[in-house]
Every structure is written in structure tokens, then in C-alpha cells.
């Protein structure tokens, strides 16, 4: 049966987050340099973004470059940064055509100037779009976000703007770079790795995880549908017992 028809459109996650992994191994499998894998990974980004928007998902967050990824060989890092610039300029029209708004989370100021500029332009040029928000996590790490949120809040407390008793979960959530977004109900990681690699640590407290063995450049629509079906077959209990959940 057509996988798409098995998806209950009334029960879609509002926010799907993806750790796009396996570009390097995909390239190696094809006897090519790692950047060839990243380039092919961009095709998957396009396909999955369009699929998510068509289905009616409101937020799609893609882990594109972690704080730890700076430790990779210099050549690979600059090739990824250049690929980001090229892709951002190339895809703006498609984002606008599909009514998709671009957003970024991470320590964006420390990105190379050209990448930061392309990103800022992409965000500004798509700001009015409403169908879906595509969030790129760039120079992002979950711990970085918690640290920067803590610093912001500590500053407010020290200036007497925030009473210490008001520093609760809600205040921390509001100081994170994901403050204006719902928490992801579903997180997908490709390439058979089963770890979070410093992604959305705070936000994933109750997220459902779907692990796919497929390398990111090979991850297609059908794999995405499969992840959504898997998600819809889970029972999200949030600490309660099964009998307390309204089905
Ligand atoms: C994910 O693919 C893309 C980035 C981290 C930028 P990888 O480059 O991590 O691919 P593998 O894990 O080495 O195969
Ligand atoms: C996580 O993938 C980061 C991104 C997908 C951008 P990595 O390939 O960097 O993660 P590790 O090093 O295998 O944990
Ligand atoms: Mg990897």
C-alpha cells in the first residue's frame, strides 16, 4: 500500500528535527571524496523540505553543522561552508515559491562572513512566508544553547530584572534559540548512528526518536513517510500509564 496514505494527516508532528548523517560514508561507498557526499546531501534536503511542507508540518529543523564539526579537516569545513553559501543563494526562489520561511539556530556570528551573510539574506528574504519554517542548526550545539541562555538569564537576575524565583523551566525555554518554536515531537537520525551528538538537548526531553540505517543522500520521501508512520504508532505517555492516555 502507498506509504503516504498510511499517514494520519490529523496527527502529524508540528516539529520534526533531523540529524542528517552519513554523507561521508555514502561518498566513500561510491569511491568519491567526502564533499561529494555533502553535495548529494543537499538534494535530500530539498526533497525532504518539500515533502514536509506538502504534508503540512510546521517546523523542520535540520542539523547542518555542529560546534564540534569545526574539528574536521580544514578543507572539509571550508567546502561545507562554501556549499552552504551556494545552496542558500540557489534555493531562495524555491523557498519563496513554496512559502517556506528560513530560520537558523546556533552561534551564527562565528560562521565565516560569507556564510553568515548568505544566511541573513535568506532569512530576511523569506521572513513573510507562512507554510513552514525551515530551521538550519549551524554552528549549533545543545550545550552551547543552554550556556548562552543561562548567561542571558543570569545577567537579568544580576540587574534585578528577573527575580531568582522566576528562573524556572519556562524562563530557560524562553531564553533558548528555539524559544519561539514548539519542541520536536519526532527526531530522525540517519546512517545507523544512535546518538544525539549535542543536538536539541533541552528540547528533546520527550521527543520520539526514529533511527534509519540509510545514509542521508539516499534518504528519500518514502523513508520520511516511514518515520512518520513509526511515530504515529508510538504511545506518548509523558510519565503516565497507558490506561490514562486518551486514544
Ligand atoms: C553529516 O554527514 C553531515 C555533517 C556532519 C556536516 P557526515 O559528514 O557526518 O558523514 P559520515 O558520518 O562521516 O558518514
Ligand atoms: C552530527 O553528525 C552533526 C550533524 C549532522 C551536523 P556527526 O557526524 O558530526 O556526529 P558524530 O561525530 O558522529 O557524533
Ligand atoms: Mg557523521
Amino acid at each position: 500500500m502507498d506509504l503516504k496514505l498510511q499517514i494520519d494527516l490529523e496527527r502529524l508532528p508540528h516539529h520534526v528535527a533531523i540529524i542528517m548523517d552519513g554523507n561521508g560514508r555514502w561518498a566513500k561507498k561510491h569511491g568519491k571524496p567526502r564533499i561529494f557526499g555533502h553535495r548529494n546531501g543537499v538534494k535530500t534536503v530539498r526533497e525532504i523540505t518539500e515533502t514536509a511542507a506538502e504534508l503540512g508540518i510546521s517546523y523542520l529543523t535540520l542539523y547542518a553543522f555542529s560546534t564540534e564539526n569545526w574539528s574536521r579537516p580544514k578543507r572539509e569545513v571550508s567546502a561545507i561552508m562554501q556549499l552552504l553559501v551556494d545552496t542558500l543563494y540557489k534555493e531562495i526562489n524555491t523557498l519563496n515559491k513554496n512559502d517556506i520561511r528560513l530560520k537558523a539556530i546556533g552561534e551564527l556570528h562565528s560562521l565565516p562572513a560569507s556564510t553568515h551573510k548568505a544566511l541573513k539574506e535568506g532569512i530576511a528574504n523569506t521572513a513573510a512566508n507562512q507554510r513552514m519554517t525551515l530551521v538550519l542548526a549551524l554552528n549549533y550545539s545543545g550545550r552551547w544553547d543552554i550556556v548562552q541562555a543561562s548567561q542571558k538569564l543570569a545577567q537579568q537576575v544580576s540587574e534585578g530584572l528577573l527575580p531568582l524565583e522566576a528562573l524556572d523551566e519556562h524562563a530557560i525555554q524562553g531564553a533558548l534559540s528555539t524559544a519561539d518554536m514548539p519542541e520536536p515531537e519526532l527526531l530522525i537520525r540517519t546512517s545507523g548512528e544512535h546518538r544525539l551528538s549535542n543536538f536539541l538537548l533541552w528540547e528533546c526531553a520527550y521527543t520520539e526518536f526514529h533511527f534509519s540505517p540509510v545514509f542521508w543522500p539516499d534518504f528519500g520521501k518514502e523513508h520520511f513517510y516511514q518515520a512518520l508512520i513509526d511515530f504515529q504508532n508510538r504511545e506518548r505517555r509523558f510519565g503516565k500509564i497507558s490506561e490514562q492516555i486518551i486514544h
Side-chain angles (χ1 to χ4, degrees):
M1 188 183 150
D2 190 344
L3 278 179
K4 193 176 175 184
L5 297 174
Q6 293 180 38
I7 300 170
D8 179 353
L9 296 177
E10 303 292 312
R11 290 174 50 242
L12 280 174
H14 301 93
H15 180 184
V16 177
I18 307 185
I19 303 177
M20 312 183 284
D21 200 11
N23 291 350
R25 279 163 286 164
W26 184 89
K28 196 169 181 186
K29 199 178 84 180
H30 290 84
K32 301 274 192 208
R34 295 179 58 86
I35 188 65
F36 182 72
H38 297 312
R39 265 193 224 113
N40 277 274
V42 173
K43 290 185 192 159
T44 306
V45 169
R46 198 178 298 130
E47 175 166 335
I48 299 304
T49 302
E50 284 184 16
T51 306
E54 269 164 26
L55 283 170
I57 288 166
S58 307
Y59 289 86
L60 177 69
T61 301
L62 303 178
Y63 204 5
F65 194 85
S66 74
T67 308
E68 289 76 18
N69 287 147
W70 293 113
S71 328
R72 291 190 178 198
K74 244 197 169 111
R75 267 185 48 180
E76 179 172 347
V77 171
S78 36
I80 291 174
M81 290 301 150
Q82 189 54 46
L83 183 61
L84 275 163
V85 175
D86 297 345
T87 307
L88 282 163
Y89 287 125
K90 217 164 99 192
E91 298 299 328
I92 285 304
N93 287 340
T94 315
L95 289 178
N96 279 328
K97 217 166 50 208
N98 288 317
D99 200 14
I100 298 171
R101 179 169 70 123
L102 185 68
K103 181 184 154 77
I105 54 172
E107 200 173 3
L108 307 177
H109 294 287
S110 316
L111 289 168
S114 57
T115 311
H116 192 202
K117 182 167 174 275
L119 202 54
K120 275 200 299 199
E121 288 183 26
I123 292 168
N125 290 333
T126 60
N129 296 340
Q130 296 195 333
R131 184 154 70 141
M132 187 179 84
T133 303
L134 171 66
V135 186
L136 294 183
L138 272 175
N139 194 16
Y140 172 90
S141 84
R143 286 186 180 173
W144 160 81
D145 207 8
I146 293 169
V147 168
Q148 72 75 28
S150 309
Q151 289 177 346
K152 250 195 283 189
L153 295 168
Q155 174 92 34
Q156 290 173 20
V157 171
S158 73
E159 287 174 4
L161 300 169
L162 179 75
L164 192 55
E165 314 77 68
L167 208 172
D168 54 9
E169 283 193 16
H170 184 73
I172 294 179
Q173 191 267 329
L176 292 171
S177 62
T178 53
D180 54 351
M181 295 158 56
E183 288 175 8
E185 293 98 324
L186 171 64
L187 176 123
I188 300 170
R189 182 167 189 154
T190 58
S191 87
E193 305 295 354
H194 297 176
R195 56 176 169 268
L196 213 39
S197 302
N198 218 346
F199 194 38
L200 302 175
L201 296 180
W202 175 278
E203 297 83 349
C204 280
Y206 268 100
T207 300
E208 297 292 333
F209 290 4
H210 174 90
F211 297 106
S212 166
V214 173
F215 292 145
W216 179 248
D218 284 336
F219 190 83
K221 257 186 194 315
E222 303 292 314
H223 298 109
F224 189 63
Y225 294 151
Q226 195 63 65
L228 292 169
I229 294 164
D230 179 24
F231 167 77
Q232 293 187 334
N233 287 328
R234 307 271 181 95
E235 182 183 66
R236 306 190 71 209
R237 289 192 286 277
F238 299 99
K240 297 181 182 174
I241 66 167
S242 190
E243 288 70 16
Q244 293 173 295
I245 315 287
I246 304 153
H247 291 281

